[in-house]
Amino acid sequence: MMQVETVGIGIAGALFLYVFYSAVRNQWPESYVTMTDAVDNFLSTSLVRYLAFRLVPVYVTIVFVTVTAGRIDASASGAAAITVGAHLLLTNFRAITSLLSRREHSSAWMNLIFFNAITCAFLIAATYLAIKTRSAWNDLIPNQEDTVTALWTGALAAILAAFLRNLVTTQRPEDALYDRARNDLGPDLWRYAAQRSAVHSCDTALIRSILLAEVIQRPAWTRRLERLKGKILHRGTYGVAQMGSPKPITDNESIDLLCQEFASYRLPRHAEYGHVLDERFRARIERHNPNASFATQVIQFYERLAGYYLEGTEAKADDGRPVIEVKETRRRGQSWEINGTAVVFEGNVLYSAKARGREILRASAQADLGAPSRGEWSVSLPLAAEAVVFEEEPMDEDAWQLGDSRTVKVDLD
């Protein structure tokens, strides 16, 4: 029969881990990383970070438990087994049970079960290592009299951890999260998404927003693990678009499947004012992925990419937005920098700048994509410029007489 001391020490270790991880409240990878969740965002960026977060506290706790058990002639291995067993039941085993009990299985269902099973294996390995190496840490573990002091210190540390976590999550890491996702995708996939969107008549900003949300949840290192898993268990979600497939697929293939799903889809907009009808938009995203956090993140990314514009043409493109949008004007030293988007032939945006009623510059800006895709453009003007007019290049002479609705004026002050 197992000694009372063994059970008590094992349970104490499990309670410590429960308090520690409850204070941090990490939910990734089961839940989507959100814009305001700094902890999940930090952990999901690297396999090393995630494993360190899951394994190091368990290793240290098991060392403490086994050394303490040995000093009072309790079973070190028994106490370690109780600690790690309870910890697994409360974390990964509970996650696996929840996944298995779902009536509807998403395309990522098998990947999540695989990920949790691998984490369990690593935790058991860390426990075995802690048991084998506990003697090396014997001098660092406090005796029974000092343990109470150590526990109070640990409790204060847990409170501090919870406070710091709440402090950092009040910040808004949208820029860092966006930059991280853009770097993960890279310029080639970013451009490929726009090209395939044009082929399938998709909203480029929407496709890119979905990709950004997916790579935040499944960064490059987790996608590599998914492809490795796919050699054994073929069905799952793959690629930067995390599309379900009976076998592993490439990033480009996943983007193709995503564009096919949203082919010819146009965002619902108000008939008079042109703004996106949020709830209808959210409902369509939830048809693709029912996770509420995912839908919120896609909408936030879409607002950033499509977002609000300072000025725009009266004429609208197929995506319901102005043919030419001016999104930002700012001074850089002795010049104006103006950025925007356009859906124009060969990406060619004409502009003319005026100062004191005279034209001082007429030129063209080249958007990175031509119609039917929406491309991004940027121009630099002399600081003396007081106004600038952007317009679509006319396809014939008559278009100049018809074209006021395809021009947009920006006052610089």
Side-chain angles (χ1 to χ4, degrees):
M1 182 177 293
M2 188 172 291
Q3 298 178 2
V4 174
E5 292 84 353
T6 300
V7 175
I9 293 173
I11 292 176
L15 285 174
F16 173 82
L17 290 174
Y18 177 78
V19 170
F20 174 80
Y21 285 107
S22 294
V24 179
R25 296 195 305 276
N26 165 249
Q27 295 179 336
W28 187 86
E30 280 71 36
S31 298
Y32 273 79
V33 176
T34 62
M35 292 286 194
T36 55
D37 203 326
V39 174
D40 283 343
N41 181 24
F42 176 81
L43 295 177
S44 64
T45 56
S46 164
L47 174 62
V48 174
R49 287 180 181 178
Y50 179 74
L51 288 179
F53 175 75
R54 291 304 311 274
L55 301 182
V56 172
V58 172
Y59 175 84
V60 172
T61 302
I62 296 300
V63 167
F64 187 95
V65 164
T66 52
V67 169
T68 302
R71 287 176 178 172
I72 61 174
D73 295 326
S75 172
S77 59
I82 292 173
T83 296
V84 73
H87 179 62
L88 288 173
L89 285 173
L90 293 171
T91 54
N92 295 92
F93 285 171
R94 183 169 66 176
I96 292 174
T97 302
S98 175
L99 289 166
L100 292 174
S101 64
R102 292 180 183 176
R103 292 184 178 180
E104 296 182 1
H105 297 163
S106 68
S107 52
W109 179 76
M110 183 58 70
N111 290 349
L112 288 172
I113 291 178
F114 175 78
F115 194 89
N116 278 285
I118 291 295
T119 304
C120 288
F122 274 110
L123 287 169
I124 293 172
T127 300
Y128 178 79
L129 181 64
I131 293 172
K132 291 298 183 182
T133 60
R134 68 183 187 276
S135 59
W137 308 102
N138 188 70
D139 293 339
L140 297 178
I141 305 300
N143 55 36
Q144 285 85 335
E145 288 75 16
D146 294 333
T147 298
V148 174
T149 302
L151 289 175
W152 275 109
T153 303
L156 291 174
I159 294 172
L160 179 61
F163 171 76
L164 291 176
R165 183 187 187 282
N166 290 330
L167 182 65
V168 299
T169 54
T170 60
Q171 300 173 353
R172 299 180 61 82
E174 289 93 339
D175 291 340
L177 205 61
Y178 175 81
D179 291 342
R180 170 191 150 193
R182 279 294 306 268
N183 290 335
D184 191 324
L185 279 174
D188 292 340
L189 290 176
W190 189 254
R191 190 178 305 108
Y192 186 79
Q195 293 168 350
R196 302 310 294 174
S197 295
V199 170
H200 293 283
S201 298
C202 301
D203 186 320
T204 300
L206 172 59
I207 297 300
R208 285 173 166 174
S209 297
I210 292 174
L211 294 178
L212 290 171
E214 290 292 5
V215 300
I216 288 297
Q217 171 65 8
R218 292 289 183 267
W221 66 270
T222 64
R223 299 197 300 272
R224 286 192 290 269
L225 285 178
E226 288 168 349
R227 283 192 291 270
L228 181 63
K229 183 271 308 179
K231 295 180 179 180
I232 304 171
L233 302 171
H234 303 299
R235 182 172 293 278
T237 54
Y238 299 100
V240 289
Q242 285 293 288
M243 299 300 291
S245 172
K247 62 180 181 178
I249 57 177
T250 66
D251 288 335
N252 286 3
E253 289 171 334
S254 73
I255 293 175
D256 288 339
L257 290 175
L258 179 63
C259 289
Q260 290 172 25
E261 179 183 340
F262 284 90
S264 301
Y265 173 71
R266 292 290 174 263
L267 269 69
R269 295 180 180 275
H270 192 280
E272 182 177 357
Y273 300 108
H275 60 263
V276 175
L277 301 176
D278 290 340
E279 289 306 315
R280 295 182 183 275
F281 182 26
R282 178 181 290 274
R284 178 60 186 91
I285 298 171
E286 289 176 351
R287 281 171 52 195
H288 171 74
N289 185 325
N291 185 282
S293 295
F294 175 83
T296 298
Q297 196 166 72
V298 170
I299 292 172
Q300 289 173 332
F301 279 133
Y302 186 84
E303 289 174 349
R304 184 186 184 105
L305 293 177
Y308 303 101
Y309 53 89
L310 301 177
E311 302 287 350
T313 60
E314 293 180 11
K316 298 294 189 290
D318 287 344
D319 60 7
R321 294 158 56 189
V323 170
I324 301 175
E325 294 177 335
V326 177
K327 300 183 75 69
E328 180 184 38
T329 63
R330 58 180 173 179
R331 183 182 66 83
R332 281 190 176 276
Q334 300 303 307
S335 62
W336 292 106
E337 182 179 285
I338 305 177
N339 303 309
T341 70
V343 183
V344 294
F345 179 69
E346 294 185 345
N348 198 27
V349 180
L350 303 180
Y351 64 94
S352 61
K354 292 185 177 182
R356 298 182 179 179
R358 293 189 309 107
E359 183 177 88
I360 61 172
L361 178 65
R362 174 175 284 271
S364 64
Q366 190 67 42
D368 59 355
L369 294 169
S373 297
R374 179 172 292 275
E376 299 176 348
W377 54 265
S378 178
V379 300
S380 181
L381 301 176
L383 191 61
E386 297 172 350
V388 59
V389 175
F390 295 94
E391 60 188 349
E392 179 182 9
E393 183 178 16
M395 299 302 296
D396 53 59
E397 292 183 1
D398 292 338
W400 287 106
Q401 282 74 46
L402 302 173
D404 282 350
S405 66
R406 291 179 177 267
T407 66
V408 55
K409 180 181 178 182
V410 179
D411 293 317
L412 303 171
D413 49 26

